[in-house]
Amino acid sequence: MIELINIVLLGLLVITALAAIRLHDLFAVTIMFGIYSLLAAAVFVVLDAVDVAFTEAAVGVGISTILMLATIGLVGRQEKPPSHRPLLPLVVVIVTGAALVYGTFDMPPFAAPDAPVQQHVAPRYLEQSPHEIGIPNVVTAVLASYRGYDTLGELTVIFTAGVGVLVLLGFRRRRSHMADSPEEES
Amino acid sequence: MKDIPVLRVVTKITIPIILLFAMYVQFHGDYGPGGGFQAGVIFAAAFILYGLVFGTSAVRQVVSPGILRLLTALGLLLFAGVGILTMLLGGDYLDYNTLGQDPLHGQHLGIFLVELGVGITVAAVMIIFFLAFAGRRD
């Protein structure tokens, strides 16, 4: 049953990605990206990574889509026709993709208990966190306590991104000369 | 879009529920899925929905840019400040064991404060993103 769900979800992911490449209406492409994120969130749920799925659904489907739509409102919704044939990028992407797929042949099978990732610190977190941290959600325990430095770093990245947007765009309202796209949004 | 009555009414009904859900995700993250990152984004989503329907200037009347700037730094300072506090109490940086009367209690308090800091900064930054991008049109 899980295999069937996986096949359907991954198949839909591929279809959505291809549709996003084929479409030239940027509004439709943005919606395709949103659908892609929603499908990815569903895949994470199947993988029992609910916290990651939650983040993907909130950030990938919600905020990113809104920000891209807001940007489309500024720059117009039609993709510019390409000035050259994208042959070289296609070759680079195919070679890189083939190398990545080749790399997966050396990886342990999915969810193998003897995989290195399952034997490093994960058993300690799972066995000791009820005594050391004492909260039921191990993900929160790892994120906020065991890996507090990493989370502080992540938050600093978000803070830096916010400061960067403030410095570059700011809050000031200005009538941009680019705001002549055909959409009527308020 | 505020001329459409259905949109206006539904928005006003859903915004409190979204804010309440964000609070639930924030403070229930110890027990179920969720935490500061998700809660911050959901909290910001309520403001973004308000901005989409009523315009970004309406959002600006609810939270002024100055407060948003302050909150952005405040969340990160809260996180980093908890680390300084644990050092002052004799532990390592971000070692919450020293915060409470026993290690488990300290861990609870530390995680609560740290997640709160994450939520505050993430929510403020997301609202800033929206205002900075969408605010350039009106």
Side-chain angles (χ1 to χ4, degrees):
Chain A
M1 189 59 196
I2 285 285
E3 279 82 10
L4 187 67
I5 295 174
N6 276 333
I7 289 170
V8 169
L9 284 177
L10 293 175
L12 284 173
L13 270 183
V14 172
I15 294 171
T16 319
L18 289 176
I21 296 171
R22 299 292 301 171
L23 285 167
H24 292 288
D25 183 351
L26 292 178
F27 179 77
V29 172
T30 306
I31 300 302
M32 281 299 158
F33 282 157
I35 296 171
Y36 188 93
S37 290
L38 199 58
L39 288 168
V43 172
F44 291 141
V45 171
V46 175
L47 292 172
D48 278 341
V50 273
D51 284 84
V52 186
F54 207 159
T55 314
E56 182 67 38
V59 180
V61 185
I63 300 284
S64 313
T65 308
I66 293 289
L67 289 183
M68 281 197 273
L69 285 179
T71 312
I72 287 174
L74 291 173
V75 300
R77 63 187 284 178
Q78 275 303 319
E79 189 181 326
K80 280 192 185 131
S83 54
H84 59 280
R85 294 187 67 78
L87 202 63
L88 181 65
L90 184 68
V91 172
V92 170
V93 165
I94 287 177
V95 170
T96 314
L100 287 174
V101 170
Y102 176 71
T104 59
F105 292 151
D106 264 352
M107 283 171 69
F110 174 68
D114 56 342
V117 68
Q118 316 285 11
Q119 294 184 329
H120 184 44
V121 286
R124 198 208 121 116
Y125 290 161
L126 289 175
E127 285 161 14
Q128 296 300 317
S129 82
H131 314 296
E132 288 180 349
I133 315 288
I135 60 172
N137 188 355
V138 185
V139 176
T140 304
V142 173
L143 197 97
S145 189
Y146 289 117
R147 295 273 158 206
Y149 283 22
D150 296 4
T151 311
L152 180 60
E154 281 175 43
L155 193 63
T156 313
V157 169
I158 293 175
F159 173 77
T160 315
V163 171
V165 166
L166 272 182
V167 170
L168 288 174
L169 297 176
F171 278 129
R172 262 184 305 139
R173 286 192 261 170
R174 46 192 115 150
R175 287 239 164 243
S176 172
H177 62 279
M178 291 190 297
D180 55 356
S181 70
E183 274 188 271
E184 283 300 319
E185 287 176 342
S186 63
Chain B
M1 279 195 266
K2 58 173 172 283
D3 305 328
I4 307 168
V6 175
L7 210 51
R8 205 171 56 221
V9 171
V10 170
T11 304
K12 284 191 172 168
I13 294 172
T14 43
I15 281 177
I17 301 171
I18 297 174
L19 291 175
L20 194 64
F21 182 60
M23 291 292 174
Y24 169 79
V25 172
Q26 170 80 51
F27 298 117
H28 204 259
D30 299 1
Y31 304 97
F37 284 100
Q38 294 92 332
V41 172
I42 295 169
F43 199 81
F47 287 84
I48 291 173
L49 175 64
Y50 189 63
L52 284 176
V53 175
F54 294 97
T56 49
S57 52
V59 179
R60 235 174 290 223
Q61 283 174 350
V62 180
V63 275
S64 71
I67 290 178
L68 281 178
R69 264 184 231 129
L70 200 70
L71 288 177
T72 307
L74 189 74
L76 187 61
L77 284 175
L78 180 60
F79 198 138
V82 170
I84 305 279
L85 188 64
T86 55
M87 280 177 85
L88 289 178
L89 289 171
D92 291 331
Y93 189 70
L94 290 179
D95 172 18
Y96 313 131
N97 283 353
T98 50
L99 283 176
Q101 61 266 42
D102 60 281
L104 280 187
H105 188 259
Q107 289 285 347
H108 271 272
L109 188 62
I111 289 174
F112 174 82
L113 289 174
V114 159
E115 292 275 7
L116 189 63
V118 171
I120 291 173
T121 291
V122 169
V125 168
M126 292 303 153
I127 299 173
I128 284 176
F129 280 173
F130 173 71
L131 288 181
F133 277 86
R136 289 167 72 88
R137 284 222 51 196
D138 38 46

